[in-house]
Amino acid sequence: MTSSPQPPAPGSSGSGPSADQIAIAPPADHGAGKLSLLQQIALLRAWLFLAALILGFEIWARADFGGTFLFNPFNVQSIAIFAVVPLLLAAGQTFVIISAGIDLSLGFIMGLAAVVAAHTVNWAGGFMSPPMAVVMGVCAAIAVATIPGLINGLLVARLKVPPFIGTLGMFGVCRGAAFLLANGTTVPVRNSALSAIGNGRFMNVPYIVIIAVVFVLILHYLLSQTRFGQHNYAIGANEQAARRAGIDVKGHLTKLYVLSAVCAGLAGFLYTARFSAGAAQAGEPLLLDSVAAVVIGGASLFGGSGTILGTVAGALVIAVIQYGLVFLNVKPFWQFISVGVVIIISVLIDQAQRNYGGGRQSE
Amino acid sequence: MSEPLLEVRHLSKNFGAVQALQDVSLAVAPGEVVALAGDNGAGKTTLIKAISGVYRPSSGEILLKGQPVDFGSPQEAREQGIETIYQDLALADNLSIGANIFLGREPMRRAFGFLPVLDRRKMAEAAKETMALLDFHVNRMEAPVSNFSGGQRQAVAIGRAVYWNAQILIMDEPTAALGVPEQRKVISLIHQLKAQGRGVIFISHNLQDIFAVSDRIVVLRRGVAAGERRIAETTHDEVVKLMVGG
């Protein structure tokens, strides 16, 4: 090699390479193997937990009344439909949380979009064919969602407002706007095409499930295979490093909050389609569920880690707990307790991993 | 001495009424390591920030391979081959070595002939080759850099500069946060860079490191050049005297 340097060569002669190899390489490789395994477990743990949960409910159902939980197609379908809207919010939230932020406004952006979609479909239905009116409704829902998303992005990226505060403000603004537009009530929709989307099926799979799956796959691609996704992880881990590497951090964060708002906009539209009505409070209980799904899915609230596939598992865990307890005739209040306990356990596992697996980070 | 890679001539920088640097000159030849020493507030950081495009000099000029340059941003300086390696390591700890080397400039390929996706294989291979160039061998290219020790991560930061063909590497206290064996590893990395004909500006408080690796030392004191010595012709005592004055 060309690496034999000039006379003063302490690094490469004598004490150099061999001593360094012994001193540095072995412990690091050892650590690498250990952490990598832990990370794989993190990736899998939500899915394992989901499997264990379903198994538990199955045993419970058989023991309790000799029925089946999982092998009842109605149950599977109900859980899938039930999970769609929270999943979309959680998928958008995943991006934000990986960037070390949080978007508290998603629930009411969704409500706002649901109300706007309902109004738009009603209005456009007056002079358009029902399917065209629905197309207008989707566009309106997503368009209206981008406005608070853009404001969130500008607040966080340009004005350096902490995400928690900026999006909390937007939470209030969207909440008020949604109730004002809905005039304080739900907005019913009469449109045959909309209820066909909301309740129809293709080969026994509900349309809204198909729409959500396609959209979530696109988000998975965006996060795991593109520069946008890669930069999102980098910003979440070390914003300064990302900036120094020439990444347009401000532009990225702005797009990021628009993206999460668009997810909420689509969720709002699907809500309106499913219930043939737009409601301002549609997403209110779903905001914390979205954060919970992301955390159960293996993401860290400190940023830098998380996956869409993990979040899918997290959203399914919540949906299975909520639906399963109802199915098993448990008082609904136990849902809150169970989901709460699962969140705490997930965070504890995440912290344990940080302490035992990623110890070098604190150096 | 061959033509200098980098030459700083009569550089001054003031922030309002505060004169941070006054008439400082400096040259770095290919394969040369120049140490920059001085007490806190002596102007070391201001000088390297002027060279790396963070600050615009108030007066004076910077020449790269004989051509005057004027950097509006660190990006411009980097495009011309001047890379700064920061003390606190500009790495994303959760990403692999390859992803860090390519951070902000990720290579893409087309999956199924149409879908653009990150070319992770290319990143891993380039990372492996680059790190081998620095005599640093890792097998687990997909592991996040948080798994590696301080010296190894310093090597990743240097590897990034090397991969993007930096001709001048500015290293701000590269050994400050490291244990002794790790410091030795970084010193040997600097020797590798030197052997490859790159120029290195090395900032350190540690005179032992400076004497182990540098060819020349430039001492700053309160914004002015207090002296310049060839390492072979000076001693610790003399350098300390230059630093503190008197």
Side-chain angles (χ1 to χ4, degrees):
Chain A
M1 247 181 92
T2 56
S3 66
S4 57
Q6 309 327 333
S12 50
S13 69
S15 67
S18 57
D20 288 346
Q21 293 298 339
I22 294 161
I24 301 165
D29 272 5
H30 182 60
K34 221 168 73 183
L35 185 63
S36 172
L37 185 66
L38 273 168
Q39 280 173 333
Q40 282 166 12
I41 293 169
L43 224 61
L44 277 173
R45 75 174 186 232
W47 286 99
L48 289 174
F49 188 76
L50 179 64
L53 192 65
I54 291 172
L55 186 68
F57 276 136
E58 182 68 26
I59 292 167
W60 187 344
R62 286 180 193 242
D64 202 22
F65 52 88
T68 174
F69 175 70
L70 177 63
F71 301 101
N72 182 340
F74 180 79
N75 284 356
V76 174
Q77 211 168 64
S78 303
I79 290 170
I81 292 173
F82 190 62
V84 159
V85 169
L87 173 59
L88 287 179
L89 290 192
Q93 193 73 271
T94 306
F95 279 83
V96 180
I97 285 179
I98 290 171
S99 81
I102 193 159
D103 191 342
L104 298 179
S105 63
L106 285 181
F108 281 110
I109 291 179
M110 176 193 150
L112 180 64
V115 170
V116 168
H119 276 313
T120 307
V121 173
N122 280 339
W123 166 76
F127 54 91
M128 282 177 167
S129 66
M132 280 312 292
V134 171
V135 171
M136 292 287 287
V138 181
C139 296
I142 289 174
V144 78
T146 59
I147 298 168
L150 191 61
I151 297 173
N152 278 335
L154 294 175
L155 286 174
V156 172
R158 309 264 160 193
L159 301 174
K160 304 283 166 213
V161 177
F164 193 93
I165 304 299
T167 60
L168 184 62
M170 205 41 62
F171 164 100
V173 172
C174 292
R175 181 186 207 173
F179 277 109
L180 282 173
L181 285 175
N183 219 356
T185 72
T186 51
V187 181
V189 186
R190 294 194 182 282
N191 183 303
S192 54
L194 189 70
S195 60
I197 290 177
N199 301 297
R201 289 144 217 268
F202 174 75
M203 292 179 56
N204 244 355
V205 184
Y207 287 134
I208 61 169
V209 173
I210 296 172
I211 293 170
V213 167
V214 170
F215 193 70
V216 166
L217 281 176
I218 292 171
L219 292 176
H220 171 64
Y221 159 76
L222 191 62
L223 182 60
S224 66
Q225 299 297 335
T226 68
R227 283 184 184 154
F228 183 84
Q230 190 81 351
H231 296 174
N232 204 40
Y233 284 106
I235 289 170
N238 189 341
E239 189 176 324
Q240 200 177 17
R243 202 175 300 116
R244 282 176 181 163
I247 294 171
D248 174 13
V249 174
K250 287 179 185 171
H252 179 93
L253 289 177
T254 310
K255 286 183 214 155
L256 182 65
Y257 284 89
V258 171
L259 174 71
S260 67
V262 165
C263 294
L266 184 64
F269 170 77
L270 291 183
Y271 177 93
T272 300
R274 188 175 151 208
F275 295 106
S276 280
Q281 74 280 12
E284 189 170 11
L286 299 183
L287 170 69
L288 289 180
D289 281 356
S290 78
V291 177
V294 176
V295 172
I296 294 170
S300 161
L301 285 174
F302 297 106
S305 71
T307 57
I308 290 288
L309 296 182
T311 296
V312 171
L316 286 174
V317 163
I318 294 174
V320 166
I321 289 176
Q322 290 177 338
Y323 181 87
L325 291 177
V326 172
F327 180 74
L328 291 164
N329 268 328
V330 178
K331 283 199 178 116
F333 309 111
W334 282 102
Q335 293 172 20
F336 302 128
I337 295 172
S338 323
V339 173
V341 169
V342 173
I343 293 170
I344 292 170
I345 291 172
S346 299
V347 172
L348 287 177
I349 294 173
D350 177 56
Q351 282 182 346
Q353 273 183 271
R354 270 167 191 279
N355 292 339
Y356 300 117
R360 287 182 189 279
Q361 278 170 345
S362 57
E363 271 179 23
Chain B
M1 196 165 89
S2 53
E3 188 199 15
L5 263 178
L6 177 83
E7 210 181 338
V8 174
R9 285 185 189 159
H10 309 297
L11 191 108
S12 298
K13 173 73 191 173
N14 56 295
F15 300 96
V18 180
Q19 191 79 33
L21 275 183
Q22 200 177 351
D23 197 26
V24 173
S25 297
L26 175 83
V28 183
E32 192 183 29
V33 179
V34 176
L36 207 52
D39 206 354
N40 292 336
K44 295 175 307 223
T45 307
T46 309
L47 178 57
I48 62 163
K49 284 191 170 172
I51 295 171
S52 63
V54 178
Y55 297 147
R56 270 217 158 87
S58 305
S59 68
E61 57 180 352
I62 299 171
L63 293 92
L64 196 59
K65 292 176 190 159
Q67 300 295 315
V69 288
D70 179 25
F71 302 128
S73 72
Q75 262 72 42
E76 285 176 35
R78 184 176 297 146
E79 278 158 24
Q80 304 266 343
I82 299 180
E83 191 94 27
T84 311
I85 292 162
Y86 291 93
Q87 183 179 357
D88 49 355
L89 289 177
L91 298 179
D93 270 348
N94 54 346
L95 301 181
S96 67
I97 295 177
N100 267 291
I101 287 179
F102 286 93
L103 190 58
R105 304 179 260 207
E106 292 82 358
M108 305 297 288
R109 65 181 174 87
R110 305 232 160 226
F112 319 116
F114 71 97
L115 193 64
V117 296
L118 292 172
D119 195 344
R120 289 183 205 279
R121 177 176 299 182
K122 182 176 172 187
M123 289 196 255
E125 279 168 6
K128 199 162 196 164
E129 282 170 27
T130 308
M131 299 316 284
L133 212 62
L134 297 173
D135 216 5
F136 172 100
H137 301 279
V138 263
N139 300 319
R140 307 187 47 81
M141 294 309 294
E142 76 283 6
V145 295
S146 61
N147 288 13
F148 298 112
S149 67
Q152 290 173 317
R153 288 156 67 186
Q154 192 68 253
V156 174
I158 294 169
R160 173 159 67 192
V162 168
Y163 181 83
W164 294 102
N165 208 16
Q167 293 306 304
I168 300 274
L169 284 92
I170 301 171
M171 305 175 75
D172 188 1
E173 298 273 5
T175 55
L178 304 178
V180 172
E182 299 274 271
Q183 288 179 359
R184 224 185 286 147
K185 179 78 188 167
V186 171
I187 296 299
S188 85
L189 282 171
I190 294 175
H191 281 294
Q192 307 271 8
L193 297 172
K194 189 176 152 67
Q196 290 161 13
R198 299 173 211 272
V200 177
I201 299 175
F202 175 74
I203 297 179
S204 183
H205 278 100
N206 185 333
L207 285 183
Q208 226 147 27
D209 285 354
I210 289 178
F211 276 78
V213 78
S214 314
D215 299 300
R216 271 186 307 129
I217 179 165
V218 173
V219 180
L220 294 179
R221 190 171 70 235
R222 288 191 224 130
V224 297
E228 183 176 339
R229 298 285 184 277
R230 298 203 61 76
I231 287 293
E233 300 161 0
T234 188
T235 60
H236 282 39
D237 285 348
E238 191 184 13
V239 171
V240 171
K241 265 185 197 146
L242 286 172
M243 284 166 72
V244 298

